[in-house]
Amino acid sequence: MTLSEWYEDVQAQLNEDGISPTFVQPGANSALPIVFLNVHVDSDMSSKVGTLSSVEQQIDIYDSIDTPPAEWEDFVRKVKWSLSKVTRWQSLTASNSIDTSMGESTPLRRCMLLITLEGDY
């Protein structure tokens, strides 16, 4: 599987589960909640077949600061559950924060997922 095929599979699965991912940096006017497939880091190139054996992918989830914590946790869990249907990962870490990077707009809830994918990509 190529990394491009993995992105297509992830997008199809998230859409099937009612989650609309984006691959473009969201702006201040983007509709919430947002699931943004952010940067990835390639490592461990296989010398035998020339494919990647490890990829670390960042996925950022944003929602309104006014979203009740229980609803927020349910949405994050839904995203992870949807990803688990198409992703074999070596590790998954989640980090929650309040994001103020949008400047003068209202702060957002943010969960940064870091997934280390296993297998050849």
Side-chain angles (χ1 to χ4, degrees), residues 86-99:
V86 292
T87 300
R88 297 179 326 257
W89 57 64
Q90 293 173 345
S91 67
L92 170 77
T93 59
S95 174
N96 283 289
S97 63
I98 302 301
D99 188 284

Side-chain angles (χ1 to χ4, degrees), residues 61 63-80 96 109:
I61 306 168
D63 205 351
S64 169
I65 193 77
D66 298 325
T67 301
E71 285 183 32
W72 169 246
E73 290 297 328
D74 284 345
F75 186 71
V76 170
R77 189 176 306 112
K78 181 179 179 181
V79 171
K80 290 192 287 187
N96 283 289
R109 289 188 187 277

Side-chain angles (χ1 to χ4, degrees), residues 45-52 121:
M45 181 68 80
S46 168
S47 60
K48 292 182 182 178
V49 293
T51 59
L52 298 168
Y121 291 94

Side-chain angles (χ1 to χ4, degrees), residues 18-109:
I19 302 166
S20 298
T22 183
F23 295 85
V24 178
Q25 178 73 41
N29 296 326
S30 298
L32 297 172
I34 299 168
V35 176
F36 171 45
L37 279 86
N38 205 329
V39 298
H40 73 274
V41 177
D42 307 335
S43 60
D44 300 332
M45 181 68 80
S46 168
S47 60
K48 292 182 182 178
V49 293
T51 59
L52 298 168
S53 59
S54 180
V55 174
E56 187 171 280
Q57 175 67 54
Q58 179 178 331
I59 299 175
D60 294 305
I61 306 168
Y62 297 95
D63 205 351
S64 169
I65 193 77
D66 298 325
T67 301
E71 285 183 32
W72 169 246
E73 290 297 328
D74 284 345
F75 186 71
V76 170
R77 189 176 306 112
K78 181 179 179 181
V79 171
K80 290 192 287 187
W81 173 75
S82 186
L83 290 169
S84 73
K85 294 177 183 179
V86 292
T87 300
R88 297 179 326 257
W89 57 64
Q90 293 173 345
S91 67
L92 170 77
T93 59
S95 174
N96 283 289
S97 63
I98 302 301
D99 188 284
T100 58
S101 66
M102 294 292 196
E104 295 184 22
S105 66
T106 304
L108 299 172
R109 289 188 187 277

